[in-house]
Amino acid sequence: MSANAICGYAGKILRVDLTNERITEEVWDEATLRKWVGGVGFGAKVLYEEVPPGVRWNDPANRLIVASGPFGGTMVGGSANISFSTKGCLTNGATSTQANGFMGAFMKSSGADAVIFEGIAGRWVYLYIHDGTAELRDARHLLGKNTWETEDEIKAELGYADRQMSVFCIGPAGENLVKYAGIFGDKDHCAGHNGIGAVMGVKKLKAFCAPLGRTPVKVAAPKKLLPSIEAIWRDVQKDPGGKRIFDFGTAGSYETGEQRVAAGTLPVKNYLTNLYPEARLMTCQYVRERWSATPKPCWACGSHHCHMITITDGPYKGLKVEEPEYEMFAAWGPLVGNTDPAETLVISNLLTLLGLEGNEAGFITSMVIELYEKGVLTKEDTGGLELKWGNIGAMRTLLERITRREGAFADMLAEGIRHAAETLGEEAKNCAVYTMKGHAPRGHDHRAFWREMFDTATSDVGTYSSSYLGPPDPDTHSLKDRFSPEEVSTHIAKTKGRRQFEDALGVCSFCVRAPMRFLLEAFNSITGWDFTVKEAQDVGLRVANLMRAFNLRHGVGADLETPSPRWGSTPVDGPAKGISIAPHWDAMLDTYYRLMGWDRQTGKPLPETLRALELDSVVADLWRDTKV
Ligand code: SF4
């Protein structure tokens, strides 16, 4: 630990210049730490200050910031989360995406709060963080290895057993710059959005790793921390949504599956229908009861969420795979017309091994299946693949080809859904599900889930970025009518900041679905600070506004804040039949921009909004030619 380290922090940020293979250390002062806290806060600050307009995602000047936060490595449940920030390749705009596992705790106990990668290496390398320092090592022998092989080889090479070291890496998809490659770690965790794995790939950074180090994180008031951890856990289990994840993971129980059907939020056959009677098969309860399940919790986490599954019957008997998250059950079950859960498990695990993000891959696959079924695409176009609903074998081959960019069709699909839709023509543009900023949404039928559709379409980080669905919290807005345009847009504005603050702490969001005051009791016990709810919300809003300013300066503007035609279409069947968000969209933007303090025409944060968040320097950047 740095001599002047502040409680909750290792006290050091590593800057890795890949071009010159040079590593330097930085110490940030207390005022800077209070302003940005950690995680996505660090990421937003570095991204905005160091990546000017004109720098593209694949430019050496792009940064990749990997950061824990003050919770990282403490006994708060799930406190090994890390946040990744960069300029991503699907939107060519700001990105923030998180992963759990062990890295946040191990990196801090090895002496670093964050790592900033810059430049492009002259050879493939990986970063080994240990004992308060770090070194770049040759990674050429790891090229072409899948994510599990890479992790195992690095641990063997450095002499660490499983769970003594955390490794995050890219698979072949990241090496080949597939624009929805993710970063995978600790075997079943993924930071996936906006092509972050391709950013690692273009930098020729195959992996980074850290062992459980010798320096525990210093907590200011350990005796006070324990009751707040207990209070957070009590609330996680009190809330039905939190309890569902606690008991069965994100895909939940049979009841959860039925609730999704009743709500109309399962994405079925590229949104052509909303009916899927087999929903209970695509749940954790089903796979855990049918096959052999082994818990695989992250650092300090007591939840029954992450599991490994050994398939004990059928053609995949004996195969051990990770239990998919809900989004992978959705993408490789209903979305592509598959009803066999064994196939879902196998293809979902294949995505992890190849290093592909599954939401984008799922919506691309469902789009090309619809086009194939309609005769718009033929076998000649698909390289001989019979891309029909439920034909998982053909889908697996397609994903492998995309990963290798093998053939013109797969190479084009490797560029992402917006590019594919625009290349394939009008039919494709009309049936593809994507944000106009350039990425697929998460795996839901958002036509019955307006909150997340509106949030995702207006987000500045390449995935959704708002909302709070935990137990009642007097300090956080709650949503009562999911189809009320006014309520939904108000909810997204009023909860903005909460998620960003969580993502700055270095903790799994499933483990802190609790009122803000409990989070702050833990936060203040760890850091010794005296944060109020307002100060915490301001940190989150500062991050959200800075990411927005970054995007606006980089050409990702408010004109892109609408859904694609299919994404914003009206369901033809199911519980949301005939209900449409489209007529309300402009009015929702009116409400949202007004509450956020943003200009309605340009989407720019107003000068007074920026000044209130201590972002005075951004006023000049955004409003240079306007008298303010
Ligand atoms: S809830 Fe799941 S993802 Fe979060 S820390 Fe626990 S096991 Fe990991």
Side-chain angles (χ1 to χ4, degrees), residues 479-494:
L479 177 65
K480 292 182 186 71
D481 180 356
R482 67 189 171 125
F483 292 122
S484 160
E486 181 70 17
E487 257 207 68
V488 168
S489 47
T490 301
H491 178 72
I492 298 307
K494 295 261 181 186

Side-chain angles (χ1 to χ4, degrees), residues 279-464:
R280 70 196 304 274
L281 303 183
M282 299 294 162
T283 61
C284 295
Q285 184 170 8
Y286 178 83
V287 302
R288 288 181 197 177
E289 285 180 5
R290 177 166 169 188
W291 296 308
S292 165
T294 315
K296 195 169 172 282
C298 306
W299 170 267
C301 181
S303 141
H304 310 282
H305 171 202
C306 297
H307 279 67
M308 298 299 289
I309 305 290
T310 304
I311 299 175
T312 53
D313 57 30
Y316 301 113
K317 188 174 176 180
L319 194 66
K320 191 170 183 180
V321 296
E322 63 170 338
E323 181 182 79
E325 296 295 330
Y326 156 73
E327 288 154 274
M328 295 304 94
F329 274 113
W332 306 102
L335 186 61
V336 296
N338 168 44
T339 55
D340 182 342
E343 295 289 6
T344 302
L345 263 60
V346 173
I347 196 167
S348 170
N349 207 63
L350 175 69
L351 282 148
T352 296
L353 297 176
L354 299 175
L356 278 173
E357 195 278 311
N359 287 297
E360 188 90 10
F363 278 111
I364 286 175
T365 305
S366 65
M367 172 190 70
V368 293
I369 293 174
E370 181 179 336
L371 293 172
Y372 186 88
E373 294 263 9
K374 284 178 171 167
V376 178
L377 289 174
T378 64
K379 261 192 180 175
E380 210 171 298
D381 300 309
T382 64
L385 295 178
E386 202 169 354
L387 290 167
K388 295 191 142 195
W389 299 120
N391 187 357
I392 288 281
M395 294 178 216
R396 281 210 299 262
T397 306
L398 181 68
L399 294 175
E400 281 164 354
R401 287 183 190 171
I402 288 171
T403 297
R404 295 191 294 268
R405 287 182 172 271
E406 184 183 307
F409 184 63
D411 188 46
M412 179 268 296
L413 297 181
E415 290 294 300
I417 193 159
R418 185 177 63 184
H419 174 86
E422 287 169 355
T423 306
L424 290 170
E426 283 312 303
E427 283 268 12
K429 276 202 271 184
N430 285 329
C431 79
V433 175
Y434 62 106
T435 71
M436 299 316 281
K437 289 185 180 176
H439 59 90
R442 300 196 315 142
H444 300 281
D445 190 330
H446 287 106
R447 297 171 305 175
F449 194 5
W450 289 13
R451 171 180 69 78
E452 192 168 297
M453 180 191 281
F454 188 74
D455 180 18
T456 306
T458 55
S459 161
D460 287 294
V461 291
T463 180
Y464 76 127

